[in-house]
Amino acid sequence: DNPFDQPSNPGWKWPSFSWPSWLTPKSELDRCEEDCDKQYDRDQKLCEAWWKTTGRNPGAYRVCMDRARESYIKCYQDCKKNCGK
C-alpha cells in the first residue's frame, strides 16, 4: 500500500525534489565571483613563481600577495556593484 500509487489519497503529496547544485543555472553574480576566484588562484601562483625565480625575498612575496588580495577584494566588490546585489 504505497501512497505514491494513490494520487487520490487525501494526504498524498509529491515527493520533494531539488536540483543538484551543479545542474542549477548560475546567476550572473555567481559567475562573476567564480571568475574572481579563478583569477585570485592564478595571481597566487604567479606570485609564488615570481618569488621562486627572484631569490625568494619574503618582503617581495608579501607585497605581491597583498596586491593579489586587494585585486580579489575589488573584483568581488565590482561583481556586487555590477550585478545589483
Side-chain angles (χ1 to χ4, degrees):
D1 191 21
N2 184 344
F4 298 121
D5 293 335
Q6 302 171 12
S8 60
N9 184 356
W12 189 88
K13 294 181 183 175
W14 283 101
S16 64
F17 175 80
S18 61
W19 287 97
S21 61
W22 56 272
L23 279 179
T24 305
K26 295 183 181 177
S27 70
E28 184 179 352
L29 177 63
D30 290 337
R31 288 190 305 273
C32 183
E33 289 175 346
E34 277 184 3
D35 289 344
C36 293
D37 294 340
K38 289 175 187 173
Q39 183 61 50
Y40 185 54
D41 288 343
R42 285 189 296 268
D43 289 347
Q44 287 178 311
K45 287 175 183 162
L46 239 153
C47 286
E48 187 173 343
W50 174 75
W51 173 69
K52 287 178 178 178
T53 60
T54 58
R56 297 181 185 253
N57 180 327
Y61 178 73
R62 200 168 23 257
V63 168
C64 185
M65 289 299 290
D66 287 346
R67 287 185 184 150
R69 194 173 307 104
E70 288 169 10
S71 177
Y72 180 63
I73 291 167
K74 182 173 180 345
C75 185
Y76 257 75
Q77 290 169 341
D78 288 347
C79 285
K80 291 191 187 325
K81 182 173 58 174
N82 296 333
C83 295
K85 284 193 175 184

